[in-house]
Amino acid sequence: MRVDLGFLLNARQALLPLPLVDRMPVPPADVLPPFEPRTEKLPARIVAADGSAASVGLIGLARFYEEAGTRPERISACSASAWWAAMWAGGLEAREMADSALSWRPEPHLGVQWAGLPRFTLSALRGFGGLAKADALEALFDRRTWRMAAGSTDFPFHVLAYDLEAGDFELLGSETTPEVTLGELARVAAALPRRDEAVRIEGRFYADAAAAPGFALDLLGDGEVAGSAPWDFYGLFLDRRRWPELIRAATRRP
């Protein structure tokens, strides 16, 4: 019960902020350490399946690749990890990714439905708020990545999605659905496997694979695994105090 009450406190601070008391801190200018050239040989393929706040560590991993003067040959992702991977594949540098992420505010991106707050309080105790506004999230990524299509990314990028009608998993992205935008893929990565939340693409309804029954990490394909924590969309957005620490920790990848 203690964890649930902590979640509700974070939610109240984010969605019903009090002046002065809950003022959001200014994003630290030194969230990324000074650029340090590296010579390590890095994995060509990355599998990113972290659905928790630790997924922001992909920003630090992107800096690590920049310092090595290279980039991945391919990233397969799902859940929150897909958001940072989409920015990376879309051509944003680690500094741009960090500045963008740390400047987010929950209200417009969660699309708060004030009339639903009593229901939100009850459902939060079950681990899900039900307040995500999918079109707001898609619009956010469209702005950040200039409505880039998956077929135009710097390197192949795919999101593992769950097809509600077929009851099966499918990789959407650069090679399979090249015309789909990164914003649409980000939206899929935040959708629960319910018809009212799923994203319609080419006549099919898709949701985040990690939130669906039967999900297994190996469905994402081969590659070095970058996180495998459970799906936690609201925790990611509502409590961002550790984001800078998580980003910096990933830049020290051994």
Side-chain angles (χ1 to χ4, degrees), residues 5 13 26 54-55 61 66 82 89 91 97 106 111 143 160-162 171 178 191 203 217 222 239 242 250:
L5 290 176
Q13 291 175 332
V26 176
S55 63
L61 187 60
E66 289 173 3
M97 293 165 63
R143 289 196 302 272
L160 185 65
Y162 180 71
L171 282 171
L217 196 59
D222 297 329
D239 188 0
R242 292 189 60 227

Side-chain angles (χ1 to χ4, degrees), residues 105-174:
R105 292 293 179 267
E107 296 92 334
H109 305 141
L110 286 179
V112 179
Q113 303 164 7
W114 297 107
L117 281 178
R119 178 172 58 84
F120 160 68
T121 302
L122 294 175
S123 58
L125 293 174
R126 299 194 297 271
F128 173 66
L131 292 175
K133 189 173 181 182
D135 55 355
L137 181 63
E138 182 177 342
L140 168 68
F141 273 83
D142 281 344
R143 289 196 302 272
R144 294 292 186 265
T145 59
W146 310 281
R147 283 198 58 80
M148 181 180 292
S152 301
T153 54
D154 284 359
F155 49 82
F157 164 66
H158 293 84
V159 169
L160 185 65
Y162 180 71
D163 184 333
L164 269 66
E165 295 176 342
D168 203 359
F169 298 92
E170 183 178 341
L171 282 171
L172 307 178
S174 302

Side-chain angles (χ1 to χ4, degrees), residues 44-128:
R45 296 191 171 197
I46 298 174
V47 168
D50 202 321
S52 73
S55 63
V56 299
L58 276 181
I59 297 175
L61 187 60
R63 164 56 75 88
F64 199 95
Y65 273 75
E66 289 173 3
E67 292 176 340
T70 187
R71 61 187 183 186
E73 293 180 2
R74 178 189 180 96
I75 291 184
S76 301
C78 63
S79 294
S81 291
W83 302 347
W84 322 119
M87 290 186 180
W88 190 358
L92 273 69
E93 295 181 353
R95 171 66 65 185
E96 295 173 306
M97 293 165 63
D99 289 346
S100 176
L102 294 172
S103 66
W104 283 356
R105 292 293 179 267
E107 296 92 334
H109 305 141
L110 286 179
V112 179
Q113 303 164 7
W114 297 107
L117 281 178
R119 178 172 58 84
F120 160 68
T121 302
L122 294 175
S123 58
L125 293 174
R126 299 194 297 271
F128 173 66

